[in-house]
C-alpha cells in the first residue's frame, strides 16, 4: 500500500491566487513527520515546510501553510498569492518513527502558475 | 556553508560498464541517503547511512547496486554491469542528527546517469 498519496498529477493556478495541493498518508505510528519539497525544472529539491504529528498548530512558512487534518490523515499544502516562480513539481513526504530514518515520497504534483 | 555535493553531475556510460557516483554531505550531518528519480517520477529510496553503517539497504534494486560510506562523510554508490533501466537521476541527501523526526533532508543536485 502506498504510504503517501498525491492524487493530483497536475494543477493550474492563476498568478496571485491561492492553490491547495493534496496529500494523504498512511501510517500506524503515533509519532511521524510530514514534509513538502519543491522541485523546479532545474532539478534541485527544496525543503518547504514541516508538520509533526504532535504539533497542535498547522505549520506556516511565509506563503506556504499546511492544512493538517490528523484524523483524515491528510497534510495539504496551501500556497498563497501564487507567483510564476512557484511553477514546479511538489512532493509530499513522510518519516515514521523517530530519528534520521529515510523519507517516503509521494509521486508529486506538477503545479503550473499562469500569468 | 556548502551544501550537499554530488559528482559527476552527468554520466553517460555503455551498458555493462560499472559506474561510481559520489556524494559529499553537509559537514556535520551524520545521516546520508541515496534516492533514485526516473524521468517524471517520484523519488525511490535506495539506501541510507547512519555514520558509516547502513541500517536499511532494502531499497537497493539488485545486487548490482552497492554503497559505502567512509569516515562518516563521503559516500559512493556503485552500479556494476549497468543496464538501460538504471538510467535515472541519483540524488543524495544528508540530515543532522539530534533533530529527531523533524530533521529535513538536504539534497544535492543529483547525478544524471544515462546508460546507452
Amino acid at each position: 500500500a502506498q504510504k503517501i498519496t498525491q492524487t493530483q498529477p497536475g494543477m493550474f493556478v492563476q498568478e496571485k491566487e491561492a492553490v491547495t495541493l493534496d496529500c494523504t498518508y498512511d501510517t500506524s505510528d503515533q509519532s511521524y513527520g510530514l514534509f513538502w519539497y519543491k522541485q523546479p525544472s532545474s532539478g534541485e529539491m527544496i525543503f518547504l515546510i514541516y508538520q509533526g504529528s504532535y504539533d497542535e498548530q498547522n505549520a506556516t512558512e511565509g506563503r506556504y501553510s499546511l492544512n493538517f487534518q490528523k484524523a483524515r490523515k491528510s497534510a495539504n499544502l496551501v500556497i498563497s498569492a501564487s507567483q510564476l516562480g512557484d511553477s514546479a513539481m511538489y512532493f509530499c513526504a513522510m518519516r515514521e518513527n523517530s530519528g534520521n530514518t529515510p523519507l517516503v515520497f509521494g509521486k508529486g504534483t506538477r503545479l503550473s502558475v499562469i500569468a | 556553508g556548502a551544501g550537499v555535493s554530488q559528482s559527476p553531475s552527468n554520466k553517460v556510460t555503455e551498458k555493462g560498464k560499472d559506474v561510481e557516483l559520489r556524494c559529499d554531505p553537509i559537514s556535520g550531518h551524520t545521516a546520508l541517503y541515496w534516492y533514485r528519480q526516473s524521468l517524471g517520477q517520484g523519488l525511490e529510496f535506495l539506501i541510507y547511512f547512519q555514520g558509516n553503517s547502513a541500517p536499511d539497504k532494502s531499497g537497493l534494486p539488485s545486487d548490482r547496486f552497492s554503497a559505502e560510506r567512509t569516515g562518516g562523510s563521503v559516500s559512493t554508490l556503485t552500479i556494476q554491469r549497468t543496464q538501460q533501466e538504471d538510467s535515472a537521476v541519483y540524488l543524495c541527501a544528508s540530515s543532522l542528527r539530534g533533530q529527531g523526526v523533524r530533521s529535513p533532508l538536504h539534497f544535492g543536485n543529483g547525478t544524471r546517469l544515462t546508460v546507452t
Side-chain angles (χ1 to χ4, degrees):
Chain A
Q2 280 196 356
K3 294 273 190 181
I4 297 286
T5 303
Q6 296 182 253
T7 58
Q8 306 151 314
M11 291 279 287
F12 289 89
V13 65
Q14 203 77 34
E15 197 178 7
K16 299 179 186 176
E17 297 292 313
V19 63
T20 297
L21 306 183
D22 294 343
C23 173
T24 58
Y25 59 92
D26 182 26
T27 181
S28 56
D29 286 352
Q30 297 301 308
S31 175
Y32 53 88
L34 297 155
F35 301 77
W36 277 91
Y37 281 82
K38 172 185 179 181
Q39 187 178 43
S41 57
S42 57
E44 60 193 304
M45 290 286 287
I46 302 167
F47 167 63
L48 296 178
I49 194 167
Y50 166 83
Q51 180 81 46
S53 59
Y54 291 121
D55 292 345
E56 293 186 352
Q57 300 213 339
N58 287 342
T60 61
E61 286 289 345
R63 294 187 298 111
Y64 304 108
S65 61
L66 218 150
N67 182 0
F68 180 47
Q69 299 189 43
K70 194 169 179 177
R72 289 185 165 187
K73 293 188 176 177
S74 75
N76 299 339
L77 177 70
V78 180
I79 305 175
S80 63
S82 296
Q83 302 172 357
L84 295 177
D86 294 335
S87 294
M89 283 290 287
Y90 288 81
F91 293 97
C92 179
M94 177 174 66
R95 172 187 276 136
E96 295 173 294
N97 303 310
S98 59
N100 296 55
T101 51
L103 302 188
V104 175
F105 285 83
K107 294 186 182 298
T109 295
R110 180 171 298 281
L111 177 67
S112 299
V113 181
I114 306 165
Chain B
V4 177
S5 177
Q6 292 188 248
S7 61
S9 54
N10 279 285
K11 177 72 176 178
V12 180
T13 189
E14 291 181 355
K15 177 181 171 182
K17 301 280 190 185
D18 297 352
V19 294
E20 283 191 354
L21 311 180
R22 176 189 167 105
C23 173
D24 201 342
I26 293 172
S27 177
H29 280 196
T30 55
L32 185 148
Y33 313 79
W34 284 99
Y35 287 84
R36 178 168 73 174
Q37 186 176 28
S38 300
L39 188 62
Q41 300 297 310
L43 275 71
E44 175 190 4
F45 167 73
L46 298 178
I47 188 172
Y48 92 104
F49 291 89
Q50 279 284 13
N52 292 333
S53 64
D56 189 352
K57 303 180 183 179
S58 62
L60 293 177
S62 76
D63 58 7
R64 296 186 295 105
F65 287 72
S66 63
E68 65 173 14
R69 188 180 186 196
T70 55
S73 181
V74 172
S75 176
T76 303
L77 177 69
T78 301
I79 309 173
Q80 295 179 309
R81 305 181 303 281
T82 52
Q83 304 293 312
Q84 288 185 330
E85 61 261 30
D86 299 334
S87 296
V89 175
Y90 289 81
L91 290 163
C92 177
S94 67
S95 67
L96 186 64
R97 189 184 182 91
Q99 294 183 326
V101 69
R102 65 177 53 245
S103 180
L105 272 57
H106 301 269
F107 283 85
N109 287 333
T111 293
R112 182 176 298 278
L113 176 66
T114 304
V115 182
T116 62

